[in-house]
Amino acid sequence: MRIAAGLAVVAMLVAGTSTAQADTLDYVALGDSAAAGPLIPNQDPALWCLRSSNRNYPQIAAKLLGAKLTDVTCSGATTDDFAGRQFGFVKPQYDALKPTTDLVSITIGGNDVGLVQTALGCINLLPEPVGLSCKARLTSGGDQVAAAIAKWAPEFGAALDEVKRHAPHAKVLVTGYGTYIRPGGCYPVQPIWARDADYLQGSVNLLSATGKAEAEKRGATYVDLAAVSVGHDTCARPADRYLEGLVPTTIAAPLHPNAAGMAAFGTAVAKAASAAVRQSSGV
């Protein structure tokens, strides 16, 4: 099987040996800006998707796996854009899938539930009590973000079913989102109050956990990028960050992974793909 041959490359990388040519692995990456890598050099000529052409996590994983990558991730994508035309003209992401596809990675959901807008609504330039807590506002009368995530869950489950229909033999990897801010935050490095920082990251974690649950129901593999990015959040020293804050310190979009983060996430995805294949083959 091509995926098993291609993933042998990962074992050599982990062991520290050089890569060798292997049978080509057909890998399709679906998802939003957390996978696309907006502003990270170099950008794909299809500038409307703000997708890195060589340093986002699908590109990193493909290199490690020796895979042929079809990267249709696109900034701003929602789950609906898997089947529909984003911006009215971008082809549905499902169109990249084929019966011969060996591997699919998926990062989606953040735009469905408005995570970036939520984060921007949590900014407070002055310390408490001057301002308004986004947690207080968004949980008055019930947690609005949690409700949006619960509404998204069956839609994502249906999307996974559709991926399997288009690519019935593919191993499917679902990634979560990263650790954007540590417990208690780091005001004023990132101008978000402590309770709001915890609410914000808790919402990210809930979205990831929901995606994980839907993936595991269908035998897909979940890749925990929050664990990979602990200690590398927006509160870390700029040189240690995998995710950029409100004011980026490298060439990357605010509140998104940078090149270092994409390298770490791509390695995690490649290793997860290797482990999934080994488990299914009983190796």
Side-chain angles (χ1 to χ4, degrees):
M1 186 178 180
R2 287 183 299 171
I3 191 167
L7 290 171
V9 176
V10 179
M12 289 188 288
L13 286 171
V14 173
T17 61
S18 61
T19 61
Q21 291 296 322
D23 290 343
T24 302
L25 182 72
D26 189 349
Y27 168 28
V28 175
L30 311 178
D32 59 20
S33 57
L39 304 187
I40 297 174
N42 294 320
Q43 289 285 288
D44 190 288
L47 293 176
W48 45 86
C49 277
L50 292 174
R51 178 174 59 234
S52 177
S53 63
N54 62 336
R55 298 176 75 185
N56 63 14
Y57 89 65
Q59 293 286 345
I60 299 298
K63 290 173 186 175
L64 292 173
L65 296 168
K68 176 187 176 183
L69 172 65
T70 302
D71 184 1
V72 293
T73 60
C74 192
S75 296
T78 66
T79 307
D80 285 345
D81 295 316
F82 284 178
R85 289 185 176 270
Q86 189 176 349
F87 310 129
F89 63 88
V90 178
K91 289 183 179 180
Q93 294 193 22
Y94 286 144
D95 285 6
L97 300 172
K98 305 181 295 293
T100 55
T101 300
D102 297 307
L103 178 68
V104 180
S105 65
I106 304 172
T107 303
I108 202 72
N111 295 314
D112 293 78
V113 303
L115 279 185
V116 170
Q117 295 90 330
T118 298
L120 293 175
C122 289
I123 296 171
N124 275 296
L125 297 179
L126 297 174
E128 293 200 62
V130 182
L132 178 65
S133 164
C134 66
K135 177 182 179 181
R137 174 172 52 83
L138 292 169
T139 59
S140 177
D143 190 330
Q144 297 177 35
V145 178
I149 293 171
K151 182 179 179 181
W152 169 77
E155 181 181 357
F156 180 56
L160 291 175
D161 293 338
E162 194 69 9
V163 167
K164 198 64 176 176
R165 188 178 73 81
H166 281 82
H169 306 296
K171 290 293 177 184
V172 178
L173 306 183
V174 173
T175 81
Y177 290 86
T179 299
Y180 286 83
I181 195 162
R182 61 192 58 182
C186 53
Y187 193 93
V189 174
Q190 300 300 330
I192 299 174
W193 294 347
R195 55 176 160 155
D196 293 340
D198 292 343
Y199 171 73
L200 185 59
Q201 186 60 48
S203 297
V204 174
N205 294 344
L206 178 60
L207 177 63
S208 295
T210 301
K212 177 182 179 182
E214 293 299 319
E216 290 181 343
K217 288 177 187 177
R218 294 161 175 82
T221 297
Y222 177 74
V223 187
D224 186 358
L225 300 186
V228 174
S229 48
V230 168
H232 299 280
D233 58 88
T234 60
C235 294
R237 293 184 313 139
D240 295 333
R241 292 178 188 174
Y242 286 174
L243 298 132
E244 294 296 334
L246 293 165
V247 179
T249 56
T250 64
I251 303 176
L255 307 178
H256 283 79
N258 57 28
M262 287 298 192
F265 296 164
T267 300
V269 167
K271 289 181 178 179
S274 179
V277 169
R278 290 178 180 179
Q279 183 179 18
S280 65
S281 62
V283 177

